[in-house]
Amino acid sequence: MDSAASNKGGRTLRARTNAWCPLCFASFSHQNDLEHHVAACLWFMDASTRKKKAKTDITQAPISLSLDPSKSSPSALSSSPTKLHASPTTPPKQKRQSPMKQQPEPVENWNVPECPVFRPTPEEFSQPLVYISKIRQEAERYGICRIIPPSLAPTIQSCVDPDTFTFRTKVQNVHQFKNRNNGPSEVFSSSICILLAKRGINIIDDYPQMEGRDLDLYNLFLSVVRRGGYMAVTEHGIWGSVAHDLRLSDSSRESLIKLQTCYHQFLHFYEASLREKVVQHTFMGQAALGGEAEGVEGERKRGRGMMGTMGGDHEGPPQTIEDAMIRYMKHEVNNTNFVTDDEADEFGFYDGGKEYTVNSFKRMADAFASKWFPTMPTTPLYTYAPSGSQGEAPSTPPSSSSSATTSTSPLSTPTHNYSSVLPSPPTSTSLYNTPTLSPLDLSLPPSPSPSPTSIESEFWRIIEASEESVQVQYGSDIDVTKHGSGFPMTPAPSSSSVSPSNSNWNLNHFPRMEGSVLRTIPASIVGVTSPMMYVGMLFSSFCWHTEDNYLYSINYLHHGANKMWYGIPASASEQFEEVMKRSMPQLFERHPDLLHMLVTMISPGTLKANGVPVCRTLQHPGEFVITFPQAYHAGFSHGFTVGEAVNFAPADWLPFGAQSIEHYRNIPRSGVFSHEQLVMMLASSSLAPEIAAWVLPELMRIKYEETRERMEFTDLGTGYLKIGAAPTMGTDPPQCKICEYDCYLSSVSCICGAHVVCLRHAKDLCTCPMSMRTLTLHVHMPHLDKTIDRIRSHLSTPNTPTTTTTTTLIDSHPPSTQIPSSPIPSLAYPSSPMSTPNHRA
């Protein structure tokens, strides 16, 4: 658009002739006023900075100052800098609130309630599933609970050698858990990458790193410019202070040289161009801005120009060139929306970690934590003792004798003395690499260790504000069958014991203990039927999610710092999902299964403000955390941690398993195993009464749904019928191409060779006529009827033995055996197999 005139509504509007201050962009009507104001502004400028700038040899042609990729072409140099202002013919843009100014509410104000904390007696602890069933009615109202065992047993120190146990980490960008790539750090870094690419430098595939983490270019630029720029920082030798601003633990000469080199290669060109532009405006004055520049709306008052408002409504004009540079850059960043197509970067997770041992990871994690919290105590690493430890009796906490009775109060607090596992304060601050303190500072008393609340506040500040790049590494989903477990990997004991190291509380035994329906699955499913290890550091996180197939999970913290947990009950899962979708509508539109990717965080304060019931708990080493079916949960580590987790499924899980499959079909997403296949395998085995009481109604529901869908298929038109064999457990059933449902009972195909689908999506298989479809029956209805009758007869037999477990499980939550009152339709199918589609149904 022409800068002098524009047309709107048939009228020609001419811009007013205004005089502009080249430093703060204040507007003046007379040239004399401008000259006096510029003289006053120049008085605030640092003379030494101007001298250094005069000596700077800028060999590259100046580039656009805008970080918006669409404005980064060299041709933009010829445009007036006042094009940042709105045209008089269009209403001014409403300034987007900078994410840097969005500070979350203090966690103290959230008033998030604690989840239930239970202390079983040794007798109760000897029967895990019975005890979990006993506390279930109270605990599932919160979604999670914490269990403090009556004794502490040696576990990881006898099983995992910290010097030989190796694993590869994943990288987590904590600041992207909510704001993705809209934060200032992401916008700046992404735009710098584009500008470098135009200069022939590609850093996307080989991004600069320091101490195993991506270099935070945004805060590096701010730190250097605030200290006078590259030349001033180099001349005064204060790169160590820059490293301290970036929380780098290594301040050696080699590390500082690397930091200086990275800045010179990737950011100095932008600093030089930005400085030249600001200085050029300062000395060329009105001539540089143009006498006929585009005007601004009349509401811009004297002394409140663009530079005066970039830093905030309450900030005055910039007092130095560096201040003007920072305000200009932040203004561009806060008004740029940069969206990446890289899914891994968008979600803040990628497999760019390194291989560590437990020992080397701990050193890295402790160094990282000390930069955030210099007084953070560190936990001494355990001593590996492979011999003579597994058979030792468990150690009893000093206070356990006074708390031997069960406490089911939801708000009770632990009374165990965990001094043996809690970290001890550091004895030296020489590892912190902090700037030298003055004698006055050294005389001050030492600062207290950071409280859990202060760590929690900092974690959510990073996520909500997203004003700096915070990258951590997480050794997650470590397969114990390949790497080793923190519990003894010995056969399950024949008799129960009170020690978690040699009883069913050993997570290697938990999924397949008596009473768990997962013991029917013959194959090993990592994380489901065999545990996974988790080695974390400060801010290592597991984002909001439910367990696969809505299973239970049990989590044990072997060693290290504490771990924060948040939970939401199954009854509020839909409410939680609605709040998440309202918070991130675009992401959910692109990824309907976003909540199953474990990549999204939203604060408990936000959830509570939206009416979602949420609770929290702080897990200490030696404690268990149970998550209940369909309960969303999330959390993060307060420092170096070593944990282990696995799924399990008492019989009361079966209705939740059915709900999970229905939910997955709508996304679509496949389960970790076929629910119908598991139920049929259970029904075909010798069932204990407590399990049969839950299997029967689930089997009746499956029969009703399958019969209805088979009837609907036959109503669509004449098709082919094929009798097939049911897949055996451990063999994957055919999967629906549309909803990824495991077609264990039946499947539909076409003679054209299209993919297999379920009965529900038979019409969507292909464009062929319905008469060309083939229905393959993997399970006969007569077989299903006989199985139901057998289980019903088994439960109605008066002489059926009833154990204590049976009484506890059935009496507390008896399952319903009712099915819909409408009659169940029946179909007569040929009893002989038909191997070819030459017979019509």
Side-chain angles (χ1 to χ4, degrees):
M1 184 179 65
D2 181 64
S3 63
S6 63
N7 186 279
K8 182 179 181 181
R11 296 184 301 163
T12 301
L13 302 178
R14 297 194 62 84
R16 296 179 303 168
T17 301
N18 290 316
W20 300 90
C21 172
L23 186 58
C24 69
F25 290 94
S27 176
F28 295 89
S29 301
H30 303 286
Q31 185 69 25
N32 290 338
D33 292 340
L34 170 66
E35 293 175 356
H36 289 293
H37 180 81
V38 169
C41 282
L42 289 174
W43 184 84
F44 291 100
M45 294 180 56
D46 185 0
S48 63
T49 302
R50 297 202 304 271
K51 292 179 181 179
K52 294 173 184 174
K53 179 66 191 88
K55 297 179 181 178
T56 303
D57 181 18
I58 304 177
T59 58
Q60 300 289 344
I63 66 169
S64 170
L65 298 181
S66 174
L67 286 176
D68 187 341
S70 64
K71 301 177 184 178
S72 59
S73 61
S75 62
L77 284 170
S78 60
S79 63
S80 170
T82 55
K83 284 192 175 182
L84 289 171
H85 302 289
S87 168
T89 64
T90 58
K93 277 189 177 181
Q94 184 177 1
K95 184 177 179 181
R96 179 169 65 90
Q97 178 67 27
S98 168
M100 297 179 65
K101 302 298 180 183
Q102 298 174 352
Q103 296 297 331
E105 183 183 12
V107 297
E108 296 89 344
N109 299 343
W110 292 350
N111 296 321
V112 177
E114 292 289 324
C115 79
V117 178
F118 300 99
R119 299 175 180 81
T121 63
E123 293 74 21
E124 292 171 326
F125 197 67
S126 64
Q127 294 182 297
L129 288 187
V130 173
Y131 182 72
I132 292 173
S133 176
K134 178 180 178 180
I135 65 175
R136 172 190 162 202
Q137 189 171 8
E138 172 67 26
E140 70 179 352
R141 296 192 295 111
Y142 294 80
I144 64 174
C145 74
R146 181 159 53 99
I147 296 178
I148 302 175
S151 58
L152 299 177
T155 54
I156 190 170
Q157 65 264 33
S158 62
C159 303
V160 173
D161 186 346
D163 293 318
T164 60
F165 185 94
T166 59
F167 58 94
R168 181 165 290 276
T169 62
K170 297 181 179 66
V171 175
Q172 293 182 323
N173 290 325
V174 181
H175 55 288
Q176 289 184 330
F177 285 167
K178 179 181 178 183
N179 293 321
R180 306 305 184 209
N181 283 331
N182 293 327
S185 179
E186 261 48 58
V187 173
F188 180 85
S189 300
S190 300
S191 300
I192 286 294
C193 289
I194 293 176
L195 297 180
L196 286 170
K198 293 183 177 182
R199 297 165 63 89
I201 303 174
N202 181 15
I203 66 170
I204 296 179
D205 297 331
D206 189 18
Y207 199 84
Q209 289 195 335
M210 295 290 293
E211 300 181 358
R213 293 179 283 129
D214 289 349
L215 184 59
D216 187 351
L217 296 180
Y218 176 73
N219 282 291
L220 174 60
F221 180 81
L222 289 179
S223 178
V224 172
V225 173
R226 283 168 179 160
R227 288 174 168 80
Y230 175 80
M231 297 299 293
V233 172
T234 303
E235 179 179 339
H236 293 92
I238 52 176
W239 284 101
S241 298
V242 175
H244 182 262
D245 288 349
L246 299 180
R247 295 186 171 93
L248 298 177
S249 59
D250 186 4
S251 60
S252 64
R253 184 174 182 274
E254 292 75 12
S255 178
L256 298 183
I257 290 176
K258 180 181 179 181
L259 183 64
Q260 177 186 357
T261 302
C262 288
Y263 187 93
H264 184 269
Q265 290 179 343
F266 307 129
L267 293 176
H268 186 221
F269 80 100
Y270 177 70
E271 179 204 320
S273 299
L274 188 57
R275 184 183 299 275
E276 181 183 28
K277 198 77 169 182
V278 172
V279 173
Q280 181 184 22
H281 288 175
T282 300
F283 289 105
M284 295 185 64
Q286 182 69 13
L289 295 173
E292 289 286 330
E294 291 183 10
V296 295
E297 294 298 315
E299 65 267 15
R300 290 198 181 276
K301 305 298 181 182
R302 180 186 297 259
R304 287 290 306 277
M306 178 65 74
M307 282 295 185
T309 58
M310 283 183 187
D313 294 337
H314 303 290
E315 295 186 20
Q319 299 186 3
T320 64
I321 286 182
E322 286 74 20
D323 192 9
M325 292 166 61
I326 290 174
R327 292 196 189 188
Y328 191 100
M329 183 270 290
K330 286 185 176 181
H331 175 78
E332 291 298 321
V333 165
N334 294 334
N335 288 274
T336 300
N337 287 318
F338 187 88
V339 179
T340 178
D341 293 329
D342 191 332
E343 208 170 89
D345 288 343
E346 176 184 8
F347 293 143
F349 290 77
Y350 55 92
D351 296 328
K354 295 183 176 182
E355 189 168 280
Y356 290 91
T357 64
V358 174
N359 205 345
S360 61
F361 185 89
K362 182 183 184 301
R363 291 194 298 268
M364 180 274 296
D366 288 346
F368 175 85
S370 69
K371 282 301 174 181
W372 286 91
F373 301 100
T375 59
M376 171 81 80
T378 58
T379 306
L381 192 61
Y382 61 88
T383 301
Y384 180 52
S387 60
S389 296
Q390 296 186 16
E392 292 178 3
S395 58
T396 302
S399 61
S400 62
S401 59
S402 61
S403 58
T405 58
T406 305
S407 171
T408 57
S409 173
L411 301 181
S412 58
T413 55
T415 58
H416 284 60
N417 183 355
Y418 284 90
S419 59
S420 60
V421 293
L422 288 180
S424 57
T427 58
S428 174
T429 59
S430 60
L431 298 179
Y432 300 148
N433 298 317
T434 54
T436 304
L437 300 176
S438 65
L440 179 61
D441 294 328
L442 291 175
S443 64
L444 296 176
S447 301
S449 300
S451 66
T453 301
S454 63
I455 298 175
E456 185 181 15
S457 299
E458 182 69 2
F459 175 77
W460 288 111
R461 183 197 65 79
I462 294 168
I463 292 177
E464 295 290 340
S466 188
E467 64 184 13
E468 56 188 311
S469 176
V470 180
Q471 192 175 78
V472 298
Q473 300 195 49
Y474 193 18
S476 62
D477 303 336
I478 303 172
D479 184 0
V480 301
T481 62
K482 297 180 180 178
H483 297 266
S485 169
F487 291 95
M489 300 184 70
T490 56
S494 56
S495 60
S496 59
S497 173
V498 300
S499 170
S501 66
N502 57 14
S503 74
N504 283 333
W505 290 88
N506 179 336
L507 299 197
N508 293 293
H509 306 152
F510 217 92
R512 300 185 184 277
M513 73 174 68
E514 185 177 356
S516 174
V517 300
L518 297 183
R519 67 185 308 176
T520 309
I521 302 177
S524 176
I525 304 176
V526 178
V528 177
T529 61
S530 63
M532 291 192 292
M533 295 279 287
Y534 297 86
V535 185
M537 59 188 293
L538 178 65
F539 303 144
S540 291
S541 310
F542 49 102
C543 296
W544 288 110
H545 70 287
T546 58
E547 295 299 311
D548 291 328
N549 290 54
Y550 292 168
L551 292 164
Y552 284 79
S553 77
I554 179 169
N555 307 265
Y556 185 75
L557 188 55
H558 285 290
H559 182 74
N562 301 326
K563 185 178 289 189
M564 177 61 71
W565 288 76
Y566 305 100
I568 296 170
S571 59
S573 60
E574 293 185 2
Q575 185 181 1
F576 165 79
E577 292 167 2
E578 287 300 318
V579 172
M580 292 290 286
K581 290 176 182 178
R582 290 199 304 267
S583 302
M584 308 172 189
Q586 295 180 346
L587 276 176
F588 274 92
E589 183 178 350
R590 295 171 59 185
H591 308 280
D593 60 340
L594 181 66
L595 287 173
H596 298 284
M597 297 180 179
L598 281 78
V599 294
T600 307
M601 285 294 251
I602 188 171
S603 73
T606 302
L607 295 173
K608 197 167 182 289
N610 284 273
V612 179
V614 59
C615 67
R616 65 193 289 274
T617 193
L618 190 63
Q619 183 187 22
H620 303 82
E623 297 178 350
F624 293 91
V625 169
I626 304 291
T627 70
F628 289 82
Q630 204 180 351
Y632 277 98
H633 50 281
F636 67 97
S637 295
H638 280 208
F640 169 73
T641 55
V642 181
E644 194 165 351
V646 75
N647 291 122
F648 66 101
D652 57 55
W653 159 82
L654 288 172
F656 289 97
Q659 294 177 30
S660 73
I661 298 305
E662 190 63 29
H663 172 67
Y664 291 165
R665 297 181 78 172
N666 295 327
I667 297 179
R669 181 175 184 257
S670 61
V672 293
F673 53 79
S674 169
H675 181 76
E676 287 78 9
Q677 189 177 20
L678 175 65
V679 173
M680 289 297 295
M681 292 293 293
L682 285 169
S684 302
S685 62
S686 178
L687 290 177
E690 65 269 19
I691 297 180
W694 290 94
V695 170
L696 178 59
E698 183 61 18
L699 204 57
M700 296 171 70
R701 183 200 63 81
I702 290 173
K703 176 192 173 182
Y704 175 80
E705 293 292 335
E706 180 67 14
T707 305
R708 179 180 57 81
E709 291 184 353
R710 290 185 185 184
M711 282 291 294
E712 292 177 354
F713 175 80
T714 58
D715 291 342
L716 293 175
T718 305
Y720 295 100
L721 177 66
K722 179 179 178 182
I723 306 299
T728 59
M729 199 66 190
T731 303
D732 293 333
Q735 197 172 76
C736 176
K737 181 64 177 178
I738 297 175
C739 68
E740 300 186 18
Y741 171 73
D742 289 319
C743 304
Y744 175 76
L745 300 174
S746 60
S747 60
V748 178
S749 59
C750 182
I751 62 174
C752 71
H755 299 285
V756 173
V757 294
C758 63
L759 282 167
R760 188 178 298 181
H761 294 102
K763 293 188 298 183
D764 305 319
L765 174 59
C766 60
T767 58
C768 299
M770 285 299 301
S771 58
M772 308 303 291
R773 304 286 196 273
T774 298
L775 171 61
T776 302
L777 305 179
H778 303 295
V779 176
H780 293 237
M781 277 301 162
H783 173 69
L784 198 56
D785 291 333
K786 290 180 181 179
T787 304
I788 292 175
D789 292 339
R790 180 174 58 82
I791 297 177
R792 184 183 286 119
S793 175
H794 176 65
L795 287 175
S796 61
T797 301
N799 296 327
T800 300
T802 303
T803 62
T804 304
T805 302
T806 306
T807 304
T808 303
L809 295 176
I810 296 181
D811 290 350
S812 59
H813 296 280
S816 172
T817 57
Q818 299 297 318
I819 58 175
S821 57
S822 58
I824 300 178
S826 60
L827 291 174
Y829 295 102
S831 57
S832 59
M834 300 177 182
S835 58
T836 61
N838 296 326
H839 301 79
R840 296 187 177 272

